[in-house]
Structures are given as structure tokens and as C-alpha cells.
Amino acid sequence: DAGITQSPRYKITETGRQVTLMCHQTWSHSYMFWYRQDLGHGLRLIYYSAAADITDKGEVPDGYVVSRSKTENFPLTLESATRSQTSVYFCASSPLGGSTLSGANVLTFGAGSRLTVL
Amino acid sequence: KNEVEQSPQNLTAQEGEFITINCSYSVGISALHWLQQHPGGGIVSLFMLSSGKKKHGRLIATINIQEKHSSLHITASHPRDSAVYICAGSRPGATNKLIFGTGTLLAVQP
């Protein structure tokens, strides 16, 4: 199916465990992003990637690791989950950077992954 | 103080009303995005604009660069418009680092 898919949609884990959230897009978009959404904070950028093998930190990268060995996949790993990482995580993609002024350059979001760390 | 502020935080309207959601930002941006998030979480990009006005169906987005202000208008509102509306700014030179507002929760009652 075409689009951007996240898995799992819901995950409950315990403090200290490793968790990986998957993101897959079928458009061959160059840019991919991971955001977290928490009450009172809005969406905050964790990491982004401009192309395969190119990643960079966003606003709140601590405690997270990303990789992008293939254009279509951008997994987010919490190496040792903490309660403060309980959140809803959104993956997004765009053909170009989020500020490139082209009508075709639209951010497309996945459905979100709700993570609870006990 | 957030760099991107939205008002109001919550808005209840009757079906058919004209709705305005405001977004003010305190930093320089190269583009302003409006997003819609429905209950259940899915986020959809509505507009990206750097000047003037854009229209899509019953939705209109305007931006005033000098005043650092953008508005999202919904004409002839409908209960299916009920959602959280989020504005976000793109930093010049930091092309991918959007700064998000905290959203406006809109409820349109029949």
C-alpha cells in the first residue's frame, strides 16, 4: 500500500528496555522526520534524515538513536526507555526539506505510535 | 514563551459559523504550515505559505510577514471540521526544523 506506515501503533514497555519504532514510506521521499507529541509541548523534532545514511539531531534527541540504511525506512530506537519517553511518536516524510517553497513539498505524517513506558 | 503561539487554545462553534484560528510567531521563518489532527491522531498538512493567502475548499490561510501573524479561516463550518489545528514555522536556513504551536482544539456542534 502506498503511503507512510508506522509500527507498532501501540506499545507498552518497561523502564530500561530497548524499543524500536518503525517507519516505512513508499514514495521515495528524501526527507524523513521523527517527532514526539506531548500535552503542552506540541510536536517536537527528535531526529531527521535528508537521505539514506544522512541523519541529524532535532530539538530533543537525547535517549534516541536513528538509522537510515534505505531511503524508505527510518527506524527510531529508544536504547533504554525511560518514563519521560512516554509519548505519541509521529514519523513524517517530504520530497524536500520542510521549508522548501514548492507546492509539491508537503509533509506527510504517519498515523502515530503511542508508547507507554512503565 | 513559545516561539509559535496559537489562539484560542479551545474553540466551540455552531455548524455554519465562520471560524478564525490565529498564529503568531516571534522568530523569523521562511514558511508557515497549517496542519489538522483529527481525534485518533492522524495529522494532515493543510497549507504551506510564505506570503499572501491560500484557499482550499472552505479553508483559507493568510499570512502577514511584517506582523508575524497567520490566520486559518473555516467558512460554513461543519462538525467534520472538529479537530486540532496546528501551525508550525520553518526556520530560514534550518530547513527541516519546524517550530510547532501547541494547537487549537476546535469543536463544531450540529
Side-chain angles (χ1 to χ4, degrees):
Chain A
D1 288 340
I4 182 166
T5 55
Q6 292 184 230
S7 62
R9 293 290 314 281
Y10 302 92
K11 176 75 177 177
I12 300 174
T13 190
E14 296 177 336
T15 301
R17 290 192 181 265
Q18 183 179 78
V19 176
T20 295
L21 305 179
M22 304 300 293
C23 180
H24 175 80
Q25 51 105 355
T26 60
W27 298 295
S28 298
H29 282 174
S30 294
Y31 284 81
M32 296 187 75
F33 311 84
W34 273 108
Y35 297 96
R36 60 178 291 174
Q37 185 178 41
D38 306 287
L39 279 174
H41 285 282
L43 287 154
R44 291 182 290 175
L45 181 64
I46 304 170
Y47 270 95
Y48 68 98
S49 169
D53 298 322
I54 301 174
T55 63
D56 205 353
K57 296 178 180 179
E59 188 182 348
V60 288
D62 293 344
Y64 303 96
V65 175
V66 293
S67 62
R68 191 148 178 226
S69 57
K70 293 184 178 180
T71 299
E72 60 266 31
N73 296 324
F74 191 39
L76 176 74
T77 298
L78 290 67
E79 292 191 305
S80 178
T82 65
R83 290 197 182 92
S84 65
Q85 293 177 308
T86 292
S87 186
V88 181
Y89 292 85
F90 286 95
C91 179
S93 71
S94 70
L96 304 169
S99 69
T100 302
L101 300 176
S102 161
N105 190 35
V106 174
L107 269 175
T108 305
F109 287 81
S113 296
R114 184 176 294 273
L115 175 67
T116 302
V117 183
L118 301 176
Chain B
K1 190 179 189 306
N2 290 339
E3 293 174 302
V4 176
E5 296 269 358
Q6 290 184 235
S7 64
Q9 287 188 305
N10 295 281
L11 180 57
T12 300
Q14 294 297 313
E15 184 173 357
E17 286 185 358
F18 180 85
I19 290 164
T20 296
I21 298 170
N22 296 300
C23 177
S24 296
Y25 49 94
S26 57
V27 294
I29 64 170
S30 58
L32 193 289
H33 302 250
W34 281 102
L35 309 168
Q36 180 191 57
Q37 184 173 25
H38 275 287
I43 300 174
V44 175
S45 181
L46 298 174
F47 295 104
M48 181 178 69
L49 67 166
S50 60
S51 64
K53 179 167 80 172
K54 286 191 175 181
K55 184 176 189 289
H56 182 70
R58 294 180 295 106
L59 301 178
I60 303 167
T62 64
I63 188 168
N64 184 316
I65 298 293
Q66 287 75 23
E67 294 186 5
K68 295 187 175 178
H69 182 268
S70 177
S71 293
L72 177 68
H73 305 286
I74 305 174
T75 61
S77 59
H78 190 277
R80 65 175 173 265
D81 297 325
S82 298
V84 175
Y85 292 85
I86 302 167
C87 71
S90 299
R91 292 187 190 273
T95 55
N96 306 296
K97 296 185 180 181
L98 296 184
I99 318 158
F100 290 85
T102 54
T104 294
L105 176 60
L106 171 65
V108 181
Q109 296 178 341

